[in-house]
């Protein structure tokens, strides 16, 4: 009886934190190369994810019964996500919304903290097991450079995960970390770069460590010259404007550079080389596929497991993978979804600026920059900070009168 009583005392929200950690672990493990080579491994992860989805659905229903309101923003996003699913058979956005709705009453910092610990442990285990050759450590080649997957499906995956781990560390710790910790973070960053040659992820991780040093040293307050410059009217106004236009600016830049790419133009050719031929493949995709309201299903062929798994060898001729998040959302999920994404990112940047939450503002700017070369903007696996969009789902509650109006409209 004592154990039954204790079980009854457990709150659903507390269980939700555990399930969320389990779910994020399952998402991370889907990026491991074993997911592409072992059917039993893949099936086990799928079962875990769907058990979590079932719990998320129950949590949403219980919260709704307790008075958690349905809002117009939820209804609009849900209809757009369903439209994308029907046109592309891609369920990822619907699952994302399920997680966000189930987390509406939870503490976002606590969820990020749980995810940080899960990712740190799992990342260390996966990389260690690959280096000990217990799990595969696939090799990929960039010219004469050998790039290692470190247990993951491609060489850019580990450096991308390490970037999100550092960002979460920055978010959770604020300024409570030590310089020794920062030195260790930078050492690991260099080590991973040495194996993967993931340049942009490496540079952005360096930038995060630099920002953490600036925050730790409190240079904005201690140095009068820096303080006066940072809080000058011109710089503050410029930064405020950038918060409003940055997401759309990145979207526009990605599209314009890609659609106008000319291999015979020296500037474009050099830029394409720096971006590892991303402009070339984005240009081909934009010419081959049309932009639609809800997106289309595409057969993206990348170098994941190339020459190791599958019967088809991917070469430059049949390679068509688009890395840029902004273009991938437009092509895969449609115009409505990219509009929702840009509004959401603009909203969070402006919110951070108004609250002078420079840590979170910096994190989202880095996420937006990384989105230029990796399709991670709307993927919870590689961007847990999508949880910060939850307040947007609480806008404009649907009143009882609205329910009646909807019913009457449907009858007509």
């Amino acid at each position: 009886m004592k154990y039954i009583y204790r079980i009854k005392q457990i709150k659903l929200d507390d269980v939700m934190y555990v399930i969320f950690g389990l779910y994020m672990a399952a998402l991370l493990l889907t990026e491991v190369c074993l997911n592409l080579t072992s059917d039993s491994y893949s099936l086990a992860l799928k079962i875990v994810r769907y058990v979590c989805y079932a719990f998320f659905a129950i949590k949403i229903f219980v919260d709704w019964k307790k008075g958690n309101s349905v809002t117009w923003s939820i209804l609009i996003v849900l209809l757009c996500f369903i439209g994308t699913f029907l046109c592309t058979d891609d369920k990822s956005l619907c699952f994302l919304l399920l997680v966000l709705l189930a987390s509406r009453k939870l503490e976002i910092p606590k969820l990020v903290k749980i995810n940080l610990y899960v990712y740190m442990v799992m990342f260390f285990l996966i990389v260690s097991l690959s280096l000990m050759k217990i799990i595969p450590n696939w090799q990929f080649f960039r010219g004469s450079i050998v790039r290692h997957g470190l247990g993951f499906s491609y060489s850019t995956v580990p450096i991308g995960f390490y970037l999100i781990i550092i960002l979460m560390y920055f978010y959770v710790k604020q300024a409570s970390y030590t310089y020794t910790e920062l030195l260790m973070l930078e050492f690991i960053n260099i080590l991973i770069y040495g194996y993967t040659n993931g340049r942009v992820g490496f540079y952005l991780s360096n930038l995060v460590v630099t920002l953490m040093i600036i925050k730790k040293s409190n240079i904005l307050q201690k140095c009068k010259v820096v303080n006066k410059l940072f809080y000058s009217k011109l710089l503050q106004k410029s930064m405020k404007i950038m918060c409003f236009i940055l997401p759309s600016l990145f979207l526009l830049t990605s599209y314009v550079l890609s659609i106008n790419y000319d291999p015979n133009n020296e500037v474009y050719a050099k830029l394409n080389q720096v971006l590892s031929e991303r402009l070339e493949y984005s240009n081909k995709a934009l010419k081959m596929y049309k932009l639609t309201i809800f997106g289309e299903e595409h057969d993206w062929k990348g170098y994941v497991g190339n020459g190791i798994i599958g019967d088809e060898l991917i070469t430059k001729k049949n390679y068509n993978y688009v890395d840029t998040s902004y273009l991938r959302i437009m092509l895969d999920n449609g115009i409505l979804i990219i509009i929702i994404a840009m509004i959401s990112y603009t909203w969070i940047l402006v919110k951070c600026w108004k609250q002078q939450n420079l840590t979170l503002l910096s994190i989202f700017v880095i996420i937006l920059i990384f989105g230029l070369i990796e399709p991670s903007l709307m993927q919870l696996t590689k961007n847990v900070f999508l949880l910060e969009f939850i307040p947007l789902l609480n806008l404009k509650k649907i009143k009882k009168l609205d329910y009646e109006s909807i019913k009457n409209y449907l009858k007509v």
Side-chain angles (χ1 to χ4, degrees):
M1 291 296 291
K2 186 190 292 186
Y3 294 110
I4 295 175
Y5 175 75
R6 287 181 180 176
I7 291 172
K8 288 182 178 179
Q9 291 297 107
I10 298 175
K11 296 180 180 179
L12 187 61
D13 285 357
D14 294 333
V15 179
M16 176 64 190
Y17 287 116
V18 176
I19 297 297
F20 178 80
L22 178 64
Y23 176 66
M24 295 307 294
L27 288 184
L28 176 61
L29 288 171
T30 59
E31 298 291 332
V32 174
C33 56
L34 289 174
N35 193 49
L36 299 172
T37 59
S38 173
D39 291 337
S40 56
Y41 176 91
S42 179
L43 178 61
L45 287 180
K46 188 173 184 178
I47 292 171
V48 172
R49 293 199 308 272
Y50 276 83
V51 168
C52 292
Y53 293 140
F55 182 86
F56 294 151
I58 293 170
K59 178 70 168 55
I60 293 169
F61 178 75
V62 171
D63 287 346
W64 176 70
K65 292 293 285 185
K66 288 182 178 180
N68 223 12
S69 58
V70 178
T71 64
W72 281 110
S73 54
I74 291 174
L75 189 60
I76 292 169
V77 171
L78 178 62
L79 290 174
C80 290
F81 284 7
I82 290 175
T84 297
F85 166 66
L86 293 175
C87 292
T88 65
D89 200 33
D90 180 7
K91 300 182 282 291
S92 60
L93 290 178
C94 293
F95 289 146
L96 171 62
L97 183 60
L98 191 69
V99 177
L100 297 183
L101 290 176
S103 306
R104 284 172 77 191
K105 295 178 69 176
L106 303 181
E107 300 173 30
I108 296 174
K110 190 172 180 179
L111 290 170
V112 176
K113 189 175 183 179
I114 290 170
N115 192 47
L116 170 62
Y117 292 146
V118 168
Y119 271 29
M120 286 175 67
V121 172
M122 300 301 296
F123 187 82
F124 175 78
L125 285 174
I126 293 165
V127 172
S128 299
L129 290 173
S130 72
L131 292 176
M132 290 186 289
K133 299 182 179 180
I134 296 174
I135 63 174
N137 182 9
W138 290 347
Q139 294 183 357
F140 305 90
F141 298 90
R142 176 186 283 163
S144 61
I145 300 173
V146 181
R147 311 173 71 192
H148 296 263
L150 296 177
F152 292 94
S153 57
Y154 192 60
S155 57
T156 57
V157 177
I159 196 69
F161 273 121
Y162 187 68
L163 173 62
I164 197 67
I165 287 172
I166 291 186
L167 288 173
M168 288 190 288
Y169 200 86
F170 190 20
Y171 177 90
V172 170
K173 288 278 191 174
Q174 294 296 320
S176 64
Y177 42 80
T178 64
Y179 288 111
T180 303
E181 290 175 65
L182 295 180
L183 187 63
M184 183 60 71
L185 288 174
E186 182 59 24
F187 173 75
I188 296 172
N189 185 36
I190 294 171
L191 193 65
I192 294 173
Y193 173 69
Y195 277 104
T196 65
N197 197 241
R199 293 171 298 186
V200 177
F202 172 71
Y203 298 143
L204 289 178
S205 295
N206 284 332
L207 176 59
V208 178
V209 172
T210 303
L211 291 173
M212 293 172 80
I213 293 172
I214 292 172
K215 187 175 179 68
K216 180 69 177 177
S217 62
N218 200 22
I219 193 172
L220 286 179
Q221 303 302 326
K222 290 182 178 179
C223 183
K224 291 183 179 180
V225 177
V226 176
N227 182 277
K228 189 174 181 180
L229 177 63
F230 184 79
Y231 290 104
S232 63
K233 287 185 178 180
L234 178 61
L235 186 59
Q236 289 290 302
K237 190 172 183 179
S238 300
M239 291 177 69
K240 184 179 180 180
I241 293 171
M242 286 304 296
C243 288
F244 278 97
I245 69 172
L246 195 61
S248 300
L249 180 64
F250 282 166
L251 169 64
L252 186 62
T253 301
S254 299
Y255 183 80
V256 171
L257 287 178
S258 298
I259 198 69
N260 293 311
Y261 168 72
D262 180 5
N264 298 316
N265 183 291
E266 187 176 340
V267 176
Y268 270 119
K270 183 63 178 176
L271 186 58
N272 184 54
Q273 183 183 358
V274 171
L275 294 173
S276 301
E277 301 181 326
R278 284 180 170 87
L279 284 181
E280 179 183 345
Y281 294 117
S282 296
N283 175 267
K284 288 180 180 178
L286 288 174
K287 289 180 177 179
M288 186 177 297
Y289 306 118
K290 61 181 180 180
L291 299 178
T292 61
I293 298 295
F294 292 112
E296 291 182 338
E297 186 176 3
H298 302 104
D299 182 21
W300 299 117
K301 296 177 181 179
Y303 291 133
V304 172
N306 188 35
I308 304 169
I309 60 172
D311 299 325
E312 185 181 10
L313 183 66
I314 305 300
T315 64
K316 189 172 181 179
K317 290 184 178 180
N318 58 356
Y319 180 96
N320 69 347
Y321 197 83
V322 175
D323 293 284
T324 306
S325 282
Y326 303 90
L327 301 183
R328 278 291 292 274
I329 295 171
M330 290 172 68
L331 291 166
D332 289 348
N333 308 126
I335 296 172
L336 287 180
I337 302 302
I338 192 64
I339 290 173
I340 290 173
M342 293 302 97
I343 290 173
S344 300
Y345 275 101
T346 302
W347 171 82
I348 194 65
L349 291 182
V350 173
K351 179 187 175 184
C352 291
W353 177 253
K354 287 181 178 179
Q355 296 176 350
Q356 282 297 287
N357 188 344
L358 299 182
T359 299
L360 191 58
L361 178 62
S362 303
I363 288 170
F364 271 102
V365 170
I366 289 170
I367 287 171
L368 286 166
I369 294 172
F370 194 58
L372 290 168
I373 58 104
E374 284 292 327
S376 56
L377 285 184
M378 296 296 284
Q379 294 182 11
L380 192 64
T381 316
K382 301 176 182 177
N383 182 13
V384 71
F385 295 100
L386 288 170
L387 293 169
E388 291 288 345
F389 294 156
I390 290 176
L392 276 174
L393 298 175
N394 297 324
L395 298 178
K396 193 64 178 174
K397 178 181 176 181
I398 299 179
K399 300 177 183 179
K400 188 173 180 180
L401 177 63
D402 294 323
Y403 284 123
E404 294 299 324
S405 301
I406 293 170
K407 287 180 182 178
N408 293 333
Y409 176 79
L410 291 174
K411 287 179 181 178
V412 173

